[in-house]
Short mmCIF file of all heavy atoms in Angstrom, two decimals:
data_model
loop_
_atom_site.label_atom_id
_atom_site.label_comp_id
_atom_site.label_asym_id
_atom_site.label_seq_id
_atom_site.Cartn_x
_atom_site.Cartn_y
_atom_site.Cartn_z
N MET M 49 141.52 166.30 169.20
CA MET M 49 140.91 165.77 168.03
C MET M 49 141.89 165.78 166.86
O MET M 49 142.54 166.79 166.64
CB MET M 49 139.65 166.56 167.64
CG MET M 49 138.98 165.94 166.54
SD MET M 49 137.51 166.89 165.78
CE MET M 49 136.75 167.64 167.15
N GLN M 50 141.97 164.59 166.19
CA GLN M 50 142.92 164.56 165.09
C GLN M 50 142.25 164.97 163.86
O GLN M 50 141.11 164.64 163.50
CB GLN M 50 143.41 163.08 164.94
CG GLN M 50 144.45 162.89 163.96
CD GLN M 50 145.06 161.52 163.95
OE1 GLN M 50 144.53 160.62 164.64
NE2 GLN M 50 146.09 161.25 163.18
N SER M 51 142.95 165.82 163.08
CA SER M 51 142.35 166.30 161.83
C SER M 51 142.81 165.38 160.62
O SER M 51 144.04 165.19 160.60
CB SER M 51 142.84 167.75 161.57
OG SER M 51 142.49 168.12 160.26
N THR M 52 141.91 164.93 159.96
CA THR M 52 142.28 164.19 158.73
C THR M 52 141.76 164.89 157.50
O THR M 52 140.53 165.25 157.51
CB THR M 52 141.65 162.67 158.80
OG1 THR M 52 140.27 162.81 158.91
CG2 THR M 52 142.26 161.99 159.98
N SER M 53 142.58 165.04 156.58
CA SER M 53 142.10 165.71 155.35
C SER M 53 141.71 164.62 154.32
O SER M 53 142.53 163.69 154.05
CB SER M 53 143.11 166.65 154.80
OG SER M 53 144.31 166.00 154.45
N TYR M 54 140.63 164.68 153.74
CA TYR M 54 140.17 163.79 152.73
C TYR M 54 140.72 164.26 151.37
O TYR M 54 140.51 165.40 150.97
CB TYR M 54 138.60 163.77 152.66
CG TYR M 54 138.18 162.89 151.46
CD1 TYR M 54 138.24 161.58 151.50
CD2 TYR M 54 137.53 163.51 150.39
CE1 TYR M 54 137.73 160.75 150.49
CE2 TYR M 54 137.16 162.77 149.30
CZ TYR M 54 137.19 161.40 149.32
OH TYR M 54 136.79 160.65 148.27
N LYS M 55 141.35 163.30 150.71
CA LYS M 55 141.89 163.54 149.47
C LYS M 55 141.33 162.61 148.46
O LYS M 55 141.45 161.42 148.54
CB LYS M 55 143.44 163.42 149.44
CG LYS M 55 144.08 163.88 148.12
CD LYS M 55 145.58 163.80 148.24
CE LYS M 55 146.21 164.22 146.98
NZ LYS M 55 147.62 164.14 147.05
N PRO M 56 140.49 163.17 147.51
CA PRO M 56 139.83 162.22 146.50
C PRO M 56 140.78 161.42 145.76
O PRO M 56 141.89 161.96 145.37
CB PRO M 56 138.94 163.14 145.67
CG PRO M 56 139.47 164.42 145.89
CD PRO M 56 140.22 164.48 147.20
N GLU M 57 140.43 160.21 145.35
CA GLU M 57 141.35 159.45 144.53
C GLU M 57 141.34 159.99 143.15
O GLU M 57 140.34 160.37 142.56
CB GLU M 57 140.90 158.01 144.54
CG GLU M 57 141.82 157.03 143.86
CD GLU M 57 141.53 155.59 143.99
OE1 GLU M 57 141.01 155.26 145.04
OE2 GLU M 57 141.71 154.88 143.01
N ILE M 58 142.61 160.14 142.61
CA ILE M 58 142.75 160.55 141.32
C ILE M 58 142.88 159.46 140.29
O ILE M 58 143.55 158.49 140.55
CB ILE M 58 144.11 161.46 141.18
CG1 ILE M 58 144.03 162.61 142.18
CG2 ILE M 58 144.38 161.94 139.79
CD1 ILE M 58 145.38 163.21 142.41
N SER M 59 142.08 159.57 139.24
CA SER M 59 142.23 158.59 138.24
C SER M 59 142.25 159.20 136.88
O SER M 59 141.51 160.27 136.63
CB SER M 59 141.05 157.55 138.29
OG SER M 59 139.85 158.12 137.99
N LEU M 60 143.10 158.69 135.99
CA LEU M 60 143.20 159.23 134.67
C LEU M 60 142.67 158.12 133.66
O LEU M 60 142.86 157.01 133.80
CB LEU M 60 144.69 159.49 134.26
CG LEU M 60 145.42 160.53 135.03
CD1 LEU M 60 146.83 160.68 134.53
CD2 LEU M 60 144.69 161.86 135.14
N SER M 61 141.96 158.68 132.62
CA SER M 61 141.56 157.83 131.54
C SER M 61 142.85 157.36 130.82
O SER M 61 143.91 157.96 130.89
CB SER M 61 140.70 158.62 130.61
OG SER M 61 141.41 159.52 129.85
N PRO M 62 142.68 156.23 130.11
CA PRO M 62 143.88 155.74 129.23
C PRO M 62 144.40 156.89 128.38
O PRO M 62 145.71 156.98 128.28
CB PRO M 62 143.28 154.65 128.49
CG PRO M 62 142.12 154.14 129.31
CD PRO M 62 141.56 155.40 129.96
N ARG M 63 143.56 157.68 127.70
CA ARG M 63 144.08 158.77 126.83
C ARG M 63 144.80 159.82 127.66
O ARG M 63 145.79 160.35 127.24
CB ARG M 63 142.79 159.32 126.04
CG ARG M 63 143.36 160.47 125.05
CD ARG M 63 144.21 159.97 124.02
NE ARG M 63 143.46 159.62 122.92
CZ ARG M 63 144.05 159.13 121.74
NH1 ARG M 63 145.24 158.93 121.65
NH2 ARG M 63 143.26 158.86 120.74
N GLU M 64 144.20 160.20 128.80
CA GLU M 64 144.83 161.22 129.62
C GLU M 64 146.26 160.69 130.12
O GLU M 64 147.19 161.43 130.05
CB GLU M 64 144.02 161.54 130.92
CG GLU M 64 142.78 162.27 130.62
CD GLU M 64 141.80 162.41 131.78
OE1 GLU M 64 141.86 161.56 132.65
OE2 GLU M 64 140.95 163.34 131.80
N LYS M 65 146.32 159.49 130.47
CA LYS M 65 147.56 158.85 130.93
C LYS M 65 148.58 158.86 129.78
O LYS M 65 149.75 159.12 129.96
CB LYS M 65 147.41 157.42 131.36
CG LYS M 65 148.59 156.89 132.12
CD LYS M 65 148.24 155.61 132.80
CE LYS M 65 149.43 155.08 133.69
NZ LYS M 65 149.07 153.92 134.46
N ALA M 66 148.12 158.51 128.59
CA ALA M 66 149.02 158.53 127.39
C ALA M 66 149.58 159.87 127.04
O ALA M 66 150.80 160.10 126.83
CB ALA M 66 148.31 157.94 126.15
N ILE M 67 148.69 160.87 127.26
CA ILE M 67 149.13 162.27 127.00
C ILE M 67 150.08 162.76 128.16
O ILE M 67 151.07 163.33 127.81
CB ILE M 67 147.88 163.21 126.89
CG1 ILE M 67 147.25 162.94 125.48
CG2 ILE M 67 148.26 164.66 127.02
CD1 ILE M 67 145.87 163.56 125.32
N ALA M 68 149.79 162.36 129.34
CA ALA M 68 150.61 162.80 130.42
C ALA M 68 152.03 162.18 130.26
O ALA M 68 153.03 162.79 130.55
CB ALA M 68 150.02 162.32 131.81
N GLN M 69 152.13 160.89 129.84
CA GLN M 69 153.41 160.26 129.58
C GLN M 69 154.18 161.00 128.52
O GLN M 69 155.43 161.15 128.62
CB GLN M 69 153.20 158.81 129.22
CG GLN M 69 152.74 157.93 130.41
CD GLN M 69 152.27 156.56 130.04
OE1 GLN M 69 152.03 156.23 128.85
NE2 GLN M 69 152.16 155.74 131.01
N LEU M 70 153.52 161.46 127.40
CA LEU M 70 154.28 162.19 126.42
C LEU M 70 154.67 163.56 126.91
O LEU M 70 155.73 164.06 126.49
CB LEU M 70 153.40 162.33 125.17
CG LEU M 70 153.17 160.88 124.52
CD1 LEU M 70 152.10 160.95 123.40
CD2 LEU M 70 154.44 160.33 123.91
N VAL M 71 153.80 164.18 127.71
CA VAL M 71 154.26 165.53 128.25
C VAL M 71 155.53 165.27 129.13
O VAL M 71 156.48 166.08 129.11
CB VAL M 71 153.05 166.06 129.15
CG1 VAL M 71 153.61 167.34 129.97
CG2 VAL M 71 151.89 166.47 128.29
N ALA M 72 155.53 164.10 129.89
CA ALA M 72 156.62 163.86 130.79
C ALA M 72 157.84 163.65 129.93
O ALA M 72 159.06 163.94 130.42
CB ALA M 72 156.34 162.62 131.64
N GLN M 73 157.77 163.26 128.66
CA GLN M 73 158.99 163.09 127.86
C GLN M 73 159.43 164.40 127.24
O GLN M 73 160.34 164.46 126.52
CB GLN M 73 158.63 162.12 126.69
CG GLN M 73 158.39 160.66 127.22
CD GLN M 73 157.98 159.75 126.11
OE1 GLN M 73 158.31 159.93 124.90
NE2 GLN M 73 157.17 158.64 126.52
N GLY M 74 158.68 165.53 127.53
CA GLY M 74 159.03 166.83 127.09
C GLY M 74 158.41 167.25 125.68
O GLY M 74 158.90 168.18 125.11
N LEU M 75 157.47 166.43 125.28
CA LEU M 75 156.90 166.72 123.92
C LEU M 75 155.89 167.89 123.95
O LEU M 75 155.11 167.92 125.00
CB LEU M 75 156.23 165.53 123.36
CG LEU M 75 157.12 164.31 122.97
CD1 LEU M 75 156.29 163.12 122.49
CD2 LEU M 75 158.20 164.66 122.07
N PRO M 76 155.92 168.79 123.06
CA PRO M 76 154.89 169.90 122.96
C PRO M 76 153.59 169.27 122.50
O PRO M 76 153.57 168.21 121.87
CB PRO M 76 155.56 170.91 122.10
CG PRO M 76 156.50 170.17 121.24
CD PRO M 76 156.94 169.04 122.06
N ASN M 77 152.49 170.04 122.70
CA ASN M 77 151.23 169.58 122.20
C ASN M 77 151.12 169.20 120.73
O ASN M 77 150.43 168.19 120.37
CB ASN M 77 150.07 170.65 122.52
CG ASN M 77 149.83 170.83 123.99
OD1 ASN M 77 150.43 170.18 124.80
ND2 ASN M 77 148.93 171.72 124.33
N LYS M 78 151.78 169.90 119.93
CA LYS M 78 151.67 169.56 118.43
C LYS M 78 152.34 168.29 118.15
O LYS M 78 151.82 167.45 117.30
CB LYS M 78 152.34 170.70 117.57
CG LYS M 78 151.40 171.89 117.52
CD LYS M 78 152.04 172.93 116.64
CE LYS M 78 151.04 174.19 116.54
NZ LYS M 78 151.58 175.23 115.59
N CYS M 79 153.47 167.93 118.86
CA CYS M 79 154.14 166.59 118.68
C CYS M 79 153.29 165.46 119.23
O CYS M 79 153.19 164.44 118.61
CB CYS M 79 155.49 166.59 119.27
SG CYS M 79 156.57 167.79 118.44
N ILE M 80 152.65 165.75 120.36
CA ILE M 80 151.77 164.73 120.98
C ILE M 80 150.61 164.48 120.06
O ILE M 80 150.19 163.33 119.76
CB ILE M 80 151.28 165.22 122.33
CG1 ILE M 80 152.48 165.24 123.36
CG2 ILE M 80 150.14 164.29 122.95
CD1 ILE M 80 152.18 166.03 124.67
N ALA M 81 150.02 165.56 119.54
CA ALA M 81 148.90 165.34 118.57
C ALA M 81 149.22 164.58 117.42
O ALA M 81 148.45 163.64 116.98
CB ALA M 81 148.43 166.78 118.17
N LYS M 82 150.44 164.81 116.84
CA LYS M 82 150.85 164.08 115.59
C LYS M 82 151.08 162.59 115.92
O LYS M 82 150.69 161.70 115.28
CB LYS M 82 152.15 164.69 115.12
CG LYS M 82 152.67 164.13 113.79
CD LYS M 82 153.81 164.89 113.16
CE LYS M 82 154.23 164.35 111.90
NZ LYS M 82 154.00 165.18 110.80
N ARG M 83 151.70 162.37 117.16
CA ARG M 83 151.92 160.99 117.50
C ARG M 83 150.57 160.18 117.74
O ARG M 83 150.49 159.02 117.51
CB ARG M 83 152.74 160.99 118.78
CG ARG M 83 153.21 159.59 119.13
CD ARG M 83 154.33 159.36 120.09
NE ARG M 83 155.57 160.01 119.63
CZ ARG M 83 156.68 159.93 120.38
NH1 ARG M 83 156.61 159.42 121.58
NH2 ARG M 83 157.79 160.57 119.96
N LEU M 84 149.63 160.85 118.33
CA LEU M 84 148.38 160.16 118.66
C LEU M 84 147.31 160.40 117.66
O LEU M 84 146.17 159.82 117.77
CB LEU M 84 147.85 160.71 120.09
CG LEU M 84 148.76 160.45 121.21
CD1 LEU M 84 148.16 161.05 122.46
CD2 LEU M 84 149.01 158.98 121.46
N ASP M 85 147.65 161.06 116.61
CA ASP M 85 146.78 161.39 115.35
C ASP M 85 145.45 162.04 115.85
O ASP M 85 144.34 161.59 115.54
CB ASP M 85 146.49 159.94 114.71
CG ASP M 85 145.83 160.24 113.34
OD1 ASP M 85 146.14 161.30 112.71
OD2 ASP M 85 145.03 159.41 112.78
N ILE M 86 145.58 163.08 116.67
CA ILE M 86 144.53 163.81 117.13
C ILE M 86 144.91 165.34 116.89
O ILE M 86 146.13 165.59 116.67
CB ILE M 86 144.10 163.62 118.58
CG1 ILE M 86 145.29 163.86 119.53
CG2 ILE M 86 143.55 162.24 118.74
CD1 ILE M 86 144.93 163.62 121.04
N SER M 87 144.03 166.34 117.05
CA SER M 87 144.42 167.67 116.87
C SER M 87 145.15 168.20 118.14
O SER M 87 144.95 167.70 119.26
CB SER M 87 143.19 168.55 116.63
OG SER M 87 142.45 168.88 117.83
N HIS M 88 145.88 169.27 117.95
CA HIS M 88 146.63 169.86 119.08
C HIS M 88 145.68 170.55 120.08
O HIS M 88 145.91 170.67 121.21
CB HIS M 88 147.82 170.82 118.61
CG HIS M 88 147.31 172.09 118.02
ND1 HIS M 88 146.89 172.14 116.64
CD2 HIS M 88 147.22 173.33 118.53
CE1 HIS M 88 146.59 173.37 116.42
NE2 HIS M 88 146.74 174.16 117.52
N TRP M 89 144.49 170.88 119.45
CA TRP M 89 143.40 171.45 120.37
C TRP M 89 142.90 170.45 121.30
O TRP M 89 142.66 170.73 122.46
CB TRP M 89 142.25 172.03 119.52
CG TRP M 89 142.76 173.23 118.65
CD1 TRP M 89 142.85 173.15 117.32
CD2 TRP M 89 143.13 174.48 119.08
NE1 TRP M 89 143.32 174.43 116.83
CE2 TRP M 89 143.55 175.17 117.84
CE3 TRP M 89 143.28 175.12 120.30
CZ2 TRP M 89 143.94 176.50 117.96
CZ3 TRP M 89 143.71 176.41 120.30
CH2 TRP M 89 144.03 177.08 119.16
N THR M 90 142.80 169.24 120.78
CA THR M 90 142.30 167.99 121.68
C THR M 90 143.32 167.81 122.74
O THR M 90 143.02 167.57 123.86
CB THR M 90 141.97 166.84 120.77
OG1 THR M 90 141.08 167.20 119.81
CG2 THR M 90 141.47 165.66 121.62
N VAL M 91 144.53 167.80 122.36
CA VAL M 91 145.63 167.64 123.37
C VAL M 91 145.59 168.61 124.44
O VAL M 91 145.63 168.31 125.63
CB VAL M 91 147.04 167.63 122.74
CG1 VAL M 91 148.14 167.56 123.75
CG2 VAL M 91 147.16 166.47 121.66
N ALA M 92 145.42 169.94 124.08
CA ALA M 92 145.35 171.03 124.98
C ALA M 92 144.12 170.77 126.03
O ALA M 92 144.23 171.12 127.12
CB ALA M 92 145.17 172.38 124.28
N THR M 93 142.96 170.33 125.33
CA THR M 93 141.84 170.05 126.26
C THR M 93 142.13 168.97 127.26
O THR M 93 141.80 169.11 128.42
CB THR M 93 140.59 169.59 125.38
OG1 THR M 93 140.32 170.75 124.48
CG2 THR M 93 139.42 169.34 126.17
N TYR M 94 142.81 167.91 126.79
CA TYR M 94 143.18 166.86 127.81
C TYR M 94 144.04 167.29 128.84
O TYR M 94 143.84 167.04 130.02
CB TYR M 94 143.73 165.65 127.09
CG TYR M 94 142.78 164.69 126.39
CD1 TYR M 94 142.58 164.59 125.08
CD2 TYR M 94 141.96 163.82 127.36
CE1 TYR M 94 141.74 163.77 124.59
CE2 TYR M 94 141.09 162.92 126.75
CZ TYR M 94 140.93 162.96 125.43
OH TYR M 94 139.96 161.94 124.87
N VAL M 95 145.06 168.12 128.45
CA VAL M 95 146.02 168.62 129.43
C VAL M 95 145.33 169.54 130.46
O VAL M 95 145.53 169.36 131.61
CB VAL M 95 147.16 169.45 128.74
CG1 VAL M 95 148.05 170.20 129.72
CG2 VAL M 95 148.07 168.49 127.92
N ARG M 96 144.36 170.36 130.01
CA ARG M 96 143.64 171.15 130.88
C ARG M 96 142.80 170.34 131.84
O ARG M 96 142.73 170.66 133.13
CB ARG M 96 142.65 172.17 130.23
CG ARG M 96 143.39 173.42 129.66
CD ARG M 96 142.36 174.47 129.13
NE ARG M 96 141.32 174.00 128.29
CZ ARG M 96 141.48 173.87 127.02
NH1 ARG M 96 142.52 174.23 126.36
NH2 ARG M 96 140.36 173.47 126.30
N ARG M 97 142.20 169.31 131.43
CA ARG M 97 141.44 168.36 132.21
C ARG M 97 142.31 167.79 133.39
O ARG M 97 141.91 167.57 134.51
CB ARG M 97 140.72 167.31 131.38
CG ARG M 97 139.55 167.89 130.62
CD ARG M 97 138.94 166.70 129.86
NE ARG M 97 137.93 167.29 128.93
CZ ARG M 97 137.36 166.64 127.94
NH1 ARG M 97 137.80 165.43 127.60
NH2 ARG M 97 136.49 167.15 127.15
N ILE M 98 143.44 167.35 133.00
CA ILE M 98 144.42 166.81 133.87
C ILE M 98 144.74 167.81 134.92
O ILE M 98 144.85 167.47 136.13
CB ILE M 98 145.64 166.23 133.14
CG1 ILE M 98 145.23 165.01 132.24
CG2 ILE M 98 146.71 165.69 134.24
CD1 ILE M 98 146.35 164.57 131.30
N PHE M 99 145.11 169.06 134.47
CA PHE M 99 145.38 170.10 135.43
C PHE M 99 144.27 170.21 136.45
O PHE M 99 144.54 170.39 137.68
CB PHE M 99 145.52 171.43 134.69
CG PHE M 99 146.80 171.67 134.04
CD1 PHE M 99 147.73 170.71 133.79
CD2 PHE M 99 147.14 172.99 133.52
CE1 PHE M 99 148.95 170.96 133.07
CE2 PHE M 99 148.37 173.18 132.92
CZ PHE M 99 149.21 172.25 132.68
N ILE M 100 142.97 170.23 136.00
CA ILE M 100 141.92 170.38 136.94
C ILE M 100 141.84 169.28 137.92
O ILE M 100 141.67 169.39 139.11
CB ILE M 100 140.57 170.55 136.14
CG1 ILE M 100 140.66 171.87 135.37
CG2 ILE M 100 139.38 170.37 137.04
CD1 ILE M 100 139.49 171.97 134.37
N LYS M 101 142.01 168.01 137.42
CA LYS M 101 141.97 166.86 138.33
C LYS M 101 142.95 166.89 139.42
O LYS M 101 142.81 166.43 140.51
CB LYS M 101 142.13 165.52 137.42
CG LYS M 101 140.88 165.13 136.65
CD LYS M 101 141.21 163.75 135.95
CE LYS M 101 139.95 163.27 135.28
NZ LYS M 101 140.12 161.87 134.68
N LEU M 102 144.16 167.46 139.00
CA LEU M 102 145.24 167.43 139.96
C LEU M 102 145.44 168.70 140.68
O LEU M 102 146.30 168.89 141.58
CB LEU M 102 146.59 167.17 139.18
CG LEU M 102 146.76 165.80 138.44
CD1 LEU M 102 147.96 165.74 137.58
CD2 LEU M 102 146.66 164.72 139.34
N SER M 103 144.53 169.69 140.37
CA SER M 103 144.63 171.08 141.00
C SER M 103 146.14 171.66 140.83
O SER M 103 146.69 172.12 141.76
CB SER M 103 144.38 171.00 142.48
OG SER M 103 143.03 170.48 142.67
N VAL M 104 146.53 171.64 139.56
CA VAL M 104 147.80 172.28 139.19
C VAL M 104 147.68 173.23 138.02
O VAL M 104 146.57 173.24 137.45
CB VAL M 104 148.90 171.16 138.86
CG1 VAL M 104 149.15 170.21 139.99
CG2 VAL M 104 148.39 170.41 137.59
N SER M 105 148.74 173.98 137.78
CA SER M 105 148.59 174.96 136.80
C SER M 105 149.77 174.98 135.82
O SER M 105 149.92 175.96 135.04
CB SER M 105 148.45 176.42 137.39
OG SER M 105 149.52 176.75 138.28
N SER M 106 150.64 173.90 135.83
CA SER M 106 151.72 173.94 134.93
C SER M 106 152.04 172.41 134.58
O SER M 106 151.67 171.51 135.32
CB SER M 106 153.02 174.52 135.57
OG SER M 106 153.56 173.68 136.56
N ARG M 107 152.66 172.24 133.46
CA ARG M 107 153.03 170.84 132.97
C ARG M 107 154.01 170.23 134.06
O ARG M 107 153.90 169.00 134.29
CB ARG M 107 153.61 171.01 131.59
CG ARG M 107 152.59 171.38 130.55
CD ARG M 107 153.30 171.84 129.37
NE ARG M 107 153.52 170.81 128.31
CZ ARG M 107 152.80 170.31 127.41
NH1 ARG M 107 151.62 170.81 127.30
NH2 ARG M 107 153.20 169.44 126.58
N THR M 108 154.91 171.05 134.56
CA THR M 108 155.89 170.54 135.46
C THR M 108 155.25 170.05 136.81
O THR M 108 155.52 168.97 137.29
CB THR M 108 156.96 171.57 135.85
OG1 THR M 108 157.55 171.99 134.67
CG2 THR M 108 158.00 171.12 136.72
N ALA M 109 154.36 170.93 137.31
CA ALA M 109 153.53 170.46 138.49
C ALA M 109 152.66 169.31 138.25
O ALA M 109 152.58 168.47 139.15
CB ALA M 109 152.65 171.58 138.98
N MET M 110 152.11 169.15 137.04
CA MET M 110 151.35 168.02 136.64
C MET M 110 152.14 166.73 136.73
O MET M 110 151.74 165.78 137.48
CB MET M 110 150.78 168.18 135.22
CG MET M 110 150.03 166.95 134.77
SD MET M 110 149.40 167.24 132.98
CE MET M 110 150.85 166.59 132.15
N ILE M 111 153.34 166.79 136.11
CA ILE M 111 154.15 165.59 136.14
C ILE M 111 154.67 165.29 137.48
O ILE M 111 154.61 164.10 137.98
CB ILE M 111 155.37 165.75 135.18
CG1 ILE M 111 154.84 166.01 133.76
CG2 ILE M 111 156.34 164.60 135.28
CD1 ILE M 111 153.84 164.89 133.21
N ALA M 112 154.98 166.23 138.32
CA ALA M 112 155.51 166.01 139.68
C ALA M 112 154.41 165.39 140.50
O ALA M 112 154.61 164.42 141.23
CB ALA M 112 155.92 167.34 140.31
N GLU M 113 153.10 165.86 140.35
CA GLU M 113 152.01 165.32 141.17
C GLU M 113 151.70 163.85 140.64
O GLU M 113 151.45 162.99 141.48
CB GLU M 113 150.77 166.15 140.95
CG GLU M 113 149.53 165.78 141.79
CD GLU M 113 149.81 165.90 143.30
OE1 GLU M 113 150.69 166.78 143.65
OE2 GLU M 113 149.08 165.29 144.04
N LEU M 114 151.76 163.63 139.33
CA LEU M 114 151.60 162.24 138.91
C LEU M 114 152.59 161.29 139.36
O LEU M 114 152.24 160.05 139.69
CB LEU M 114 151.45 162.28 137.38
CG LEU M 114 150.21 162.82 136.76
CD1 LEU M 114 150.29 163.04 135.31
CD2 LEU M 114 148.95 162.12 137.17
N ILE M 115 153.86 161.73 139.47
CA ILE M 115 154.91 160.86 139.95
C ILE M 115 154.68 160.57 141.42
O ILE M 115 154.77 159.45 141.91
CB ILE M 115 156.35 161.51 139.73
CG1 ILE M 115 156.69 161.50 138.22
CG2 ILE M 115 157.46 160.82 140.46
CD1 ILE M 115 157.84 162.26 137.77
N LYS M 116 154.39 161.66 142.22
CA LYS M 116 154.08 161.46 143.52
C LYS M 116 152.97 160.55 143.86
O LYS M 116 153.07 159.70 144.77
CB LYS M 116 153.72 162.92 144.22
CG LYS M 116 153.56 162.96 145.68
CD LYS M 116 153.34 164.22 146.22
CE LYS M 116 151.87 164.47 146.37
NZ LYS M 116 151.37 165.72 146.95
N GLU M 117 151.89 160.50 143.03
CA GLU M 117 150.78 159.67 143.19
C GLU M 117 150.95 158.31 142.52
O GLU M 117 150.05 157.45 142.51
CB GLU M 117 149.53 160.38 142.70
CG GLU M 117 149.08 161.57 143.37
CD GLU M 117 148.64 161.37 144.81
OE1 GLU M 117 148.08 160.20 145.08
OE2 GLU M 117 148.93 162.27 145.67
N ASN M 118 152.13 158.11 141.93
CA ASN M 118 152.49 156.90 141.20
C ASN M 118 151.52 156.49 140.14
O ASN M 118 150.95 155.45 139.94
CB ASN M 118 152.59 155.71 142.24
CG ASN M 118 153.40 154.52 141.64
OD1 ASN M 118 154.22 154.82 140.78
ND2 ASN M 118 153.10 153.40 142.09
N LEU M 119 151.09 157.58 139.32
CA LEU M 119 150.11 157.46 138.25
C LEU M 119 150.60 157.53 136.88
O LEU M 119 149.96 157.43 135.85
CB LEU M 119 149.02 158.44 138.45
CG LEU M 119 148.11 158.32 139.66
CD1 LEU M 119 147.17 159.51 139.93
CD2 LEU M 119 147.28 157.07 139.59
N LEU M 120 151.93 157.86 136.71
CA LEU M 120 152.48 158.18 135.42
C LEU M 120 152.83 156.98 134.70
O LEU M 120 152.52 156.96 133.49
CB LEU M 120 153.68 159.14 135.65
CG LEU M 120 154.20 159.81 134.31
CD1 LEU M 120 153.13 160.68 133.66
CD2 LEU M 120 155.36 160.68 134.62
N TRP M 121 153.42 156.04 135.23
CA TRP M 121 153.85 154.82 134.51
C TRP M 121 153.20 153.65 135.06
O TRP M 121 152.81 153.58 136.33
CB TRP M 121 155.39 154.68 134.59
CG TRP M 121 156.13 155.93 134.21
CD1 TRP M 121 156.77 156.80 134.95
CD2 TRP M 121 156.16 156.54 132.88
NE1 TRP M 121 157.24 157.83 134.28
CE2 TRP M 121 156.87 157.71 132.93
CE3 TRP M 121 155.76 156.23 131.59
CZ2 TRP M 121 157.21 158.55 131.93
CZ3 TRP M 121 155.96 157.00 130.56
CH2 TRP M 121 156.71 158.23 130.65
N ASP M 122 153.13 152.62 134.33
CA ASP M 122 152.47 151.36 134.69
C ASP M 122 153.39 150.54 135.63
O ASP M 122 154.53 150.67 135.65
CB ASP M 122 152.11 150.45 133.47
CG ASP M 122 151.04 151.13 132.63
OD1 ASP M 122 150.07 151.73 133.21
OD2 ASP M 122 151.05 150.88 131.45
#
C-alpha cells in the first residue's frame, strides 16, 4: 500500500503576502509597520498567523517555506 500524505493548500491574504515580502527583505516589524501605516503589534499578529499557517517558528523558516511553495513573489 502506498502512503500519501495530505498537505493542505496554503494561501495567504494580500496583507499577509505583503508582510511576508517585507520580512523577506529583512525589515523588522517596526519598519514594516511604518511602511504599511499599521501598528507594529498588528505586524506581529500577521507574522504569527503566517507562522501558524506554515507550521514554522522563525522568520527564516517562514521565508524558506514560502519560497519552496512559490508563494512569496507574484
